[in-house]
Amino acid sequence: MSVYTADTHTHSRCSPDAAYPMAEMAEAAAAAGLDEICFTDHVDLRPWRDYVPPERYPWERLVEEVREARERWGDRITIRLGAEMGEMYTDFPKAERYWRDRPELDFVIGSIHVMGEQYDHLDFTHIDQVAERYDEVIEDYLAQQMRHIGWGHFSVMGHLTLPLRYANERFQMGVTFEKHMDSVEQVLRALIEKGLGLECNTNRGRSPLPGAEILRLYRRLGGEIVTLGSDAHRPEHVGLGIREGQALLRECGFRYFCTFRQMRPEFHPL
């Protein structure tokens, strides 16, 4: 029996850093042999690039895009609507407005892409600018994750070790989370206690975020809710690393991975 395959972290032109319609991304997912795709476009509270968060998030764009994708490709692949809600801890009243106005969603990723207030919320794409302060930046980042968990309106924590994507892949800093595992464990315990899950971001086929050490720790602590997502922003990236991610989860002791429907986890055997 073949293993169910799903990419639960993808972006369409509804995200300020992507340019492709959901229908085109869904077509790519079907062509890659996936059983399911979930669109998780950015819903962020911090300005970045040319994007300034609106007072009212335009949820209707996502609803229309996913409707068109389902009309074209819904007979070949299951298409879910989600969101990646980032930096919600920076403005809880606005975060609540965004949450209150949302349409019916299947899945929400809670993410942090920027450093703390003392670093002027510098995006992690510029982590080279604080290389000499890396360890304190990561400790602060994990503290902000605890605040995000306190808000709690999400299904899984996204790409927990995101800073490594830029520190090592872009700037070859050669850093790890090794010195911060006590804080990582605190974050994982808080997720489990609140009934929230953890994403294994397959990083478009590169090093997964987080990797095996943290995934094993999450499992040892009793974590069971784990999703797989490529973080694709282009059709050719849809599904990259998903099957390898399933193998990694098996190696780390997981028997199941999750997708979400109407904000409830569905467990699929690995």
Side-chain angles (χ1 to χ4, degrees):
M1 185 178 68
S2 61
V3 176
Y4 193 85
T5 52
D7 190 341
T8 62
H9 189 153
T10 66
H11 296 276
S12 77
R13 62 186 176 186
C14 295
S15 285
D17 59 348
Y20 296 88
M22 288 186 188
E24 194 168 339
M25 299 290 282
E27 180 183 12
L34 298 181
D35 296 295
E36 179 175 327
I37 184 172
C38 184
F39 292 104
T40 52
D41 283 305
H42 285 290
V43 182
D44 293 329
L45 287 191
R46 297 299 308 172
W48 53 291
R49 299 185 185 178
D50 296 326
Y51 175 74
V52 177
E55 285 304 308
R56 179 186 175 277
Y57 185 79
W59 292 107
E60 59 276 6
R61 289 185 59 207
L62 278 67
V63 172
E64 178 61 19
E65 284 272 335
V66 80
R67 182 192 64 78
E68 292 177 3
R70 286 169 175 159
E71 285 181 356
R72 291 185 59 184
W73 300 104
D75 61 338
R76 289 187 54 189
I77 186 169
T78 297
I79 300 172
R80 304 290 187 202
L81 178 62
E84 182 179 7
M85 301 189 75
E87 289 71 60
M88 294 294 124
Y89 73 93
T90 63
D91 189 338
F92 285 126
K94 191 170 186 177
E96 288 299 319
R97 291 199 299 275
Y98 274 26
W99 183 254
R100 187 173 56 246
D101 291 345
R102 76 192 186 285
E104 183 176 332
L105 298 174
D106 291 300
F107 178 56
V108 174
I109 299 171
S111 297
I112 297 178
H113 306 89
V114 301
M115 302 175 210
E117 185 175 2
Q118 64 268 47
Y119 310 104
D120 297 321
H121 297 295
L122 184 68
D123 192 287
F124 278 114
T125 56
H126 303 294
I127 196 170
D128 62 315
Q129 297 181 22
V130 293
E132 72 284 354
R133 303 170 69 186
Y134 170 79
D135 286 324
E136 66 181 62
V137 166
I138 296 306
E139 278 299 316
D140 182 71
Y141 166 73
L142 293 168
Q144 302 315 317
Q145 292 285 16
M146 292 295 291
R147 294 186 66 195
H148 221 165
I149 293 169
W151 182 65
H153 293 317
F154 57 88
S155 313
V156 302
M157 175 176 287
H159 44 52
L160 174 59
T161 54
L162 177 69
L164 299 181
R165 175 184 290 171
Y166 306 106
N168 294 339
E169 294 175 17
R170 182 175 296 186
F171 300 114
Q172 292 77 51
M173 289 169 57
V175 295
T176 71
F177 270 54
E178 184 177 359
K179 295 179 181 178
H180 309 284
M181 291 303 291
D182 287 346
S183 296
V184 168
E185 181 171 337
Q186 182 182 18
V187 167
L188 298 179
R189 288 185 182 278
L191 286 172
I192 293 167
E193 289 172 5
K194 200 150 186 174
L196 304 173
L198 181 69
E199 176 193 44
C200 175
N201 187 297
T202 66
N203 198 18
R204 299 185 282 274
R206 301 190 294 267
S207 297
L209 307 167
E213 182 182 10
I214 290 174
L215 290 170
R216 288 193 182 100
L217 174 59
Y218 176 64
R219 185 69 196 97
R220 286 200 304 271
L221 294 172
E224 295 183 325
I225 300 172
V226 60
T227 61
L228 290 158
S230 67
D231 214 341
H233 289 64
R234 304 172 61 87
E236 60 265 32
H237 294 155
V238 174
L240 287 183
I242 295 299
R243 292 174 177 85
E244 294 84 353
Q246 290 179 327
L248 173 62
L249 293 183
R250 286 193 293 269
E251 292 170 9
C252 292
F254 293 90
R255 296 174 57 202
Y256 302 90
F257 79 99
C258 289
T259 59
F260 277 74
R261 179 182 181 185
Q262 295 178 340
M263 299 296 289
R264 294 183 179 88
E266 296 184 337
F267 291 83
H268 304 276
L270 286 163

